[in-house]
């Protein structure tokens, strides 16, 4: 299943939010990927340099918690050559301590009264409002 959502306020106007979920996806990951817009001007077009790929910031939630930033850089040398490069931070490689499983951490936080990983009442209500509107739209399209 894939959804394209938008948030109706000034801060996020024109920014699409793409959500993809399913049992048969290529890989089993939870991540947030932010793809940055290209600048309005391609500075090196006259030099024959093709438009580089968009910069990307990816937060890997699970498995293997990580953050990576992919951006464009001029390759060393006299030629004008732009290449994509990646900076990676992997939590498990940097910190050697054993990490708790996701539900271990969640249950421990619940027992401690730590609420930052749990939705507030208004967040839960808004999530259900969105899901219900999708469910109703699907039901309307299935009727003859």
């Amino acid at each position: 299943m894939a959804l394209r959502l938008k948030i109706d306020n000034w801060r996020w106007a024109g920014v699409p939010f793409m959500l993809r979920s399913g049992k048969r996806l290529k890989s089993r990951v939870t991540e947030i990927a932010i793809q940055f817009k290209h600048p309005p001007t391609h500075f090196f077009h006259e030099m024959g340099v093709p438009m580089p790929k968009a910069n990307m910031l990816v937060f890997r939630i699970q498995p293997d918690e990580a953050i990576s930033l992919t951006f464009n850089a001029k390759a060393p040398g006299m030629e004008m050559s732009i290449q994509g490069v990646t900076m990676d931070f992997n939590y498990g490689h940097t910190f050697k301590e054993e990490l708790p499983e996701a539900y271990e951490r969640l249950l421990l936080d619940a027992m401690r009264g730590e609420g930052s990983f749990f939705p507030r009442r208004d967040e839960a209500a808004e999530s259900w409002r969105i899901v219900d509107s999708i469910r109703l739209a699907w039901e309307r399209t299935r009727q003859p």
Side-chain angles (χ1 to χ4, degrees):
M1 172 177 80
L3 296 173
R4 180 184 171 117
L5 303 173
K6 43 186 187 174
I7 297 175
D8 189 16
N9 68 22
W10 65 268
R11 180 182 303 269
W12 298 105
V15 177
F17 287 80
M18 316 295 245
L19 305 177
R20 201 173 329 165
S21 178
K23 299 282 185 197
R24 295 182 182 225
L25 294 176
K26 188 167 96 173
S27 58
R28 185 180 176 125
V29 298
T30 302
E31 64 185 21
I32 300 167
I34 301 167
Q35 182 173 325
F36 294 94
K37 287 183 176 180
H38 286 289
T41 305
H42 178 35
F43 295 111
F44 306 111
H45 178 69
E46 291 83 26
M47 302 173 93
V49 176
M51 177 65 91
K53 291 182 179 179
N55 296 342
M56 179 103 43
L57 178 61
V58 178
F59 297 92
R60 170 73 57 89
I61 312 288
Q62 68 174 328
D64 302 323
E65 295 85 352
I67 300 171
S68 77
L69 176 63
T70 303
F71 58 95
N72 300 295
K74 182 191 175 300
M78 298 303 291
E79 284 184 35
M80 177 51 81
S81 175
I82 305 293
Q83 292 182 356
V85 295
T86 302
M87 293 173 49
D88 285 319
F89 163 71
N90 184 291
Y91 198 88
H93 292 139
T94 302
F95 303 106
K96 301 301 181 191
E97 295 85 24
E98 178 112 7
L99 297 174
E101 293 293 323
Y103 287 111
E104 287 177 298
R105 173 73 188 269
L106 196 62
L107 290 171
L108 182 60
D109 286 341
M111 290 187 297
R112 289 180 174 167
E114 170 58 55
S116 62
F117 291 112
F118 300 92
R120 295 185 323 257
R121 182 173 297 171
D122 60 332
E123 291 174 313
E126 183 65 12
S127 297
W128 279 113
R129 187 192 67 75
I130 292 168
V131 169
D132 279 343
S133 67
I134 294 166
R135 184 186 52 80
L136 289 171
W138 281 340
E139 285 179 5
R140 278 188 234 120
T141 59
R142 283 191 247 158
Q143 295 177 359

